[in-house]
PDB file of all heavy atoms in Angstrom:
ATOM      1  N   ASP A 245      11.345 -30.585  -2.407  1.00 96.00           N
ATOM      2  CA  ASP A 245      11.784 -31.680  -1.597  1.00 96.00           C
ATOM      3  C   ASP A 245      10.898 -31.902  -0.413  1.00 96.00           C
ATOM      4  O   ASP A 245      10.515 -33.054  -0.060  1.00 96.00           O
ATOM      5  CB  ASP A 245      13.227 -31.489  -1.101  1.00 96.00           C
ATOM      6  CG  ASP A 245      14.203 -31.598  -2.230  1.00 96.00           C
ATOM      7  OD1 ASP A 245      13.803 -32.064  -3.341  1.00 96.00           O
ATOM      8  OD2 ASP A 245      15.438 -31.241  -2.081  1.00 96.00           O
ATOM      9  N   ILE A 246      10.513 -30.825   0.235  1.00 97.00           N
ATOM     10  CA  ILE A 246       9.612 -30.847   1.415  1.00 97.00           C
ATOM     11  C   ILE A 246       8.253 -31.470   0.979  1.00 97.00           C
ATOM     12  O   ILE A 246       7.771 -32.391   1.643  1.00 97.00           O
ATOM     13  CB  ILE A 246       9.441 -29.492   2.067  1.00 97.00           C
ATOM     14  CG1 ILE A 246      10.801 -29.046   2.668  1.00 97.00           C
ATOM     15  CG2 ILE A 246       8.368 -29.481   3.066  1.00 97.00           C
ATOM     16  CD1 ILE A 246      10.771 -27.709   3.333  1.00 97.00           C
ATOM     17  N   GLN A 247       7.760 -30.973  -0.115  1.00 95.00           N
ATOM     18  CA  GLN A 247       6.430 -31.473  -0.541  1.00 95.00           C
ATOM     19  C   GLN A 247       6.495 -33.001  -0.873  1.00 95.00           C
ATOM     20  O   GLN A 247       5.562 -33.762  -0.502  1.00 95.00           O
ATOM     21  CB  GLN A 247       5.956 -30.712  -1.761  1.00 95.00           C
ATOM     22  CG  GLN A 247       5.527 -29.269  -1.369  1.00 95.00           C
ATOM     23  CD  GLN A 247       4.945 -28.544  -2.548  1.00 95.00           C
ATOM     24  OE1 GLN A 247       5.641 -28.249  -3.519  1.00 95.00           O
ATOM     25  NE2 GLN A 247       3.677 -28.209  -2.477  1.00 95.00           N
ATOM     26  N   LEU A 248       7.532 -33.414  -1.476  1.00 94.00           N
ATOM     27  CA  LEU A 248       7.717 -34.838  -1.880  1.00 94.00           C
ATOM     28  C   LEU A 248       7.832 -35.660  -0.592  1.00 94.00           C
ATOM     29  O   LEU A 248       7.272 -36.778  -0.505  1.00 94.00           O
ATOM     30  CB  LEU A 248       8.900 -35.049  -2.801  1.00 94.00           C
ATOM     31  CG  LEU A 248       8.771 -34.396  -4.181  1.00 94.00           C
ATOM     32  CD1 LEU A 248      10.030 -34.497  -4.955  1.00 94.00           C
ATOM     33  CD2 LEU A 248       7.565 -34.997  -4.946  1.00 94.00           C
ATOM     34  N   GLU A 249       8.577 -35.162   0.371  1.00 96.00           N
ATOM     35  CA  GLU A 249       8.779 -35.923   1.620  1.00 96.00           C
ATOM     36  C   GLU A 249       7.456 -36.065   2.368  1.00 96.00           C
ATOM     37  O   GLU A 249       7.093 -37.123   2.871  1.00 96.00           O
ATOM     38  CB  GLU A 249       9.779 -35.184   2.504  1.00 96.00           C
ATOM     39  CG  GLU A 249      11.227 -35.470   2.223  1.00 96.00           C
ATOM     40  CD  GLU A 249      11.585 -36.920   2.423  1.00 96.00           C
ATOM     41  OE1 GLU A 249      11.642 -37.380   3.560  1.00 96.00           O
ATOM     42  OE2 GLU A 249      11.805 -37.662   1.434  1.00 96.00           O
ATOM     43  N   ILE A 250       6.669 -34.996   2.430  1.00 96.00           N
ATOM     44  CA  ILE A 250       5.418 -35.035   3.098  1.00 96.00           C
ATOM     45  C   ILE A 250       4.507 -36.066   2.426  1.00 96.00           C
ATOM     46  O   ILE A 250       3.859 -36.916   3.052  1.00 96.00           O
ATOM     47  CB  ILE A 250       4.683 -33.658   3.123  1.00 96.00           C
ATOM     48  CG1 ILE A 250       5.542 -32.580   3.820  1.00 96.00           C
ATOM     49  CG2 ILE A 250       3.354 -33.752   3.881  1.00 96.00           C
ATOM     50  CD1 ILE A 250       4.962 -31.187   3.708  1.00 96.00           C
ATOM     51  N   ARG A 251       4.501 -35.987   1.080  1.00 94.00           N
ATOM     52  CA  ARG A 251       3.642 -36.900   0.314  1.00 94.00           C
ATOM     53  C   ARG A 251       4.043 -38.362   0.489  1.00 94.00           C
ATOM     54  O   ARG A 251       3.211 -39.250   0.577  1.00 94.00           O
ATOM     55  CB  ARG A 251       3.732 -36.552  -1.221  1.00 94.00           C
ATOM     56  CG  ARG A 251       2.634 -37.291  -2.017  1.00 94.00           C
ATOM     57  CD  ARG A 251       2.476 -36.764  -3.348  1.00 94.00           C
ATOM     58  NE  ARG A 251       3.661 -37.114  -4.211  1.00 94.00           N
ATOM     59  CZ  ARG A 251       3.723 -36.919  -5.505  1.00 94.00           C
ATOM     60  NH1 ARG A 251       2.656 -36.515  -6.143  1.00 94.00           N
ATOM     61  NH2 ARG A 251       4.756 -37.260  -6.161  1.00 94.00           N
ATOM     62  N   LYS A 252       5.353 -38.557   0.665  1.00 95.00           N
ATOM     63  CA  LYS A 252       5.816 -39.916   0.851  1.00 95.00           C
ATOM     64  C   LYS A 252       5.488 -40.515   2.212  1.00 95.00           C
ATOM     65  O   LYS A 252       5.126 -41.648   2.317  1.00 95.00           O
ATOM     66  CB  LYS A 252       7.329 -39.921   0.663  1.00 95.00           C
ATOM     67  CG  LYS A 252       7.968 -41.223   0.479  1.00 95.00           C
ATOM     68  CD  LYS A 252       9.346 -41.025  -0.162  1.00 95.00           C
ATOM     69  CE  LYS A 252      10.296 -42.135   0.166  1.00 95.00           C
ATOM     70  NZ  LYS A 252      11.694 -41.727  -0.085  1.00 95.00           N
ATOM     71  N   HIS A 253       5.502 -39.682   3.275  1.00 96.00           N
ATOM     72  CA  HIS A 253       5.475 -40.218   4.612  1.00 96.00           C
ATOM     73  C   HIS A 253       4.201 -39.941   5.365  1.00 96.00           C
ATOM     74  O   HIS A 253       3.919 -40.590   6.401  1.00 96.00           O
ATOM     75  CB  HIS A 253       6.632 -39.696   5.435  1.00 96.00           C
ATOM     76  CG  HIS A 253       8.011 -40.100   4.886  1.00 96.00           C
ATOM     77  ND1 HIS A 253       8.410 -41.381   4.986  1.00 96.00           N
ATOM     78  CD2 HIS A 253       8.909 -39.445   4.183  1.00 96.00           C
ATOM     79  CE1 HIS A 253       9.642 -41.453   4.427  1.00 96.00           C
ATOM     80  NE2 HIS A 253       9.907 -40.272   3.936  1.00 96.00           N
ATOM     81  N   CYS A 254       3.426 -38.941   4.949  1.00 96.00           N
ATOM     82  CA  CYS A 254       2.300 -38.506   5.828  1.00 96.00           C
ATOM     83  C   CYS A 254       0.956 -38.876   5.170  1.00 96.00           C
ATOM     84  O   CYS A 254       0.849 -38.967   3.922  1.00 96.00           O
ATOM     85  CB  CYS A 254       2.312 -37.027   6.070  1.00 96.00           C
ATOM     86  SG  CYS A 254       3.917 -36.523   6.833  1.00 96.00           S
ATOM     87  N   PRO A 255      -0.122 -39.006   5.993  1.00 95.00           N
ATOM     88  CA  PRO A 255      -1.440 -39.278   5.436  1.00 95.00           C
ATOM     89  C   PRO A 255      -1.889 -38.221   4.442  1.00 95.00           C
ATOM     90  O   PRO A 255      -1.694 -37.037   4.690  1.00 95.00           O
ATOM     91  CB  PRO A 255      -2.376 -39.285   6.661  1.00 95.00           C
ATOM     92  CG  PRO A 255      -1.450 -39.472   7.823  1.00 95.00           C
ATOM     93  CD  PRO A 255      -0.093 -38.871   7.446  1.00 95.00           C
ATOM     94  N   GLU A 256      -2.506 -38.687   3.353  1.00 93.00           N
ATOM     95  CA  GLU A 256      -2.851 -37.799   2.262  1.00 93.00           C
ATOM     96  C   GLU A 256      -3.690 -36.597   2.705  1.00 93.00           C
ATOM     97  O   GLU A 256      -3.423 -35.447   2.267  1.00 93.00           O
ATOM     98  CB  GLU A 256      -3.537 -38.600   1.160  1.00 93.00           C
ATOM     99  CG  GLU A 256      -3.436 -37.877  -0.190  1.00 93.00           C
ATOM    100  CD  GLU A 256      -4.668 -38.008  -1.041  1.00 93.00           C
ATOM    101  OE1 GLU A 256      -5.601 -38.740  -0.688  1.00 93.00           O
ATOM    102  OE2 GLU A 256      -4.738 -37.253  -2.062  1.00 93.00           O
ATOM    103  N   LEU A 259      -1.795 -33.521   3.945  1.00 94.00           N
ATOM    104  CA  LEU A 259      -0.710 -32.877   3.130  1.00 94.00           C
ATOM    105  C   LEU A 259      -0.678 -31.366   3.196  1.00 94.00           C
ATOM    106  O   LEU A 259       0.326 -30.738   3.467  1.00 94.00           O
ATOM    107  CB  LEU A 259      -0.816 -33.298   1.625  1.00 94.00           C
ATOM    108  CG  LEU A 259      -0.587 -34.767   1.261  1.00 94.00           C
ATOM    109  CD1 LEU A 259      -0.616 -34.908  -0.246  1.00 94.00           C
ATOM    110  CD2 LEU A 259       0.747 -35.225   1.846  1.00 94.00           C
ATOM    111  N   LEU A 367       7.358 -38.219  11.562  1.00 96.00           N
ATOM    112  CA  LEU A 367       7.857 -39.150  10.595  1.00 96.00           C
ATOM    113  C   LEU A 367       8.823 -38.472   9.626  1.00 96.00           C
ATOM    114  O   LEU A 367       9.427 -39.170   8.739  1.00 96.00           O
ATOM    115  CB  LEU A 367       6.642 -39.695   9.754  1.00 96.00           C
ATOM    116  CG  LEU A 367       5.520 -40.367  10.566  1.00 96.00           C
ATOM    117  CD1 LEU A 367       4.312 -40.603   9.737  1.00 96.00           C
ATOM    118  CD2 LEU A 367       6.005 -41.615  11.234  1.00 96.00           C
ATOM    119  N   LEU A 368       8.988 -37.188   9.784  1.00 97.00           N
ATOM    120  CA  LEU A 368       9.914 -36.478   8.833  1.00 97.00           C
ATOM    121  C   LEU A 368      11.084 -35.927   9.649  1.00 97.00           C
ATOM    122  O   LEU A 368      10.955 -35.580  10.834  1.00 97.00           O
ATOM    123  CB  LEU A 368       9.181 -35.283   8.190  1.00 97.00           C
ATOM    124  CG  LEU A 368       7.857 -35.513   7.502  1.00 97.00           C
ATOM    125  CD1 LEU A 368       7.133 -34.243   7.203  1.00 97.00           C
ATOM    126  CD2 LEU A 368       8.118 -36.339   6.245  1.00 97.00           C
TER     127      LEU A 368
END
Side-chain angles (χ1 to χ4, degrees):
D245 290 349
I246 292 180
Q247 288 183 295
L248 293 174
E249 277 296 289
I250 303 174
R251 191 169 67 169
K252 194 159 153 199
H253 299 286
C254 303
E256 203 218 349
L259 292 186
L367 306 169
L368 307 168

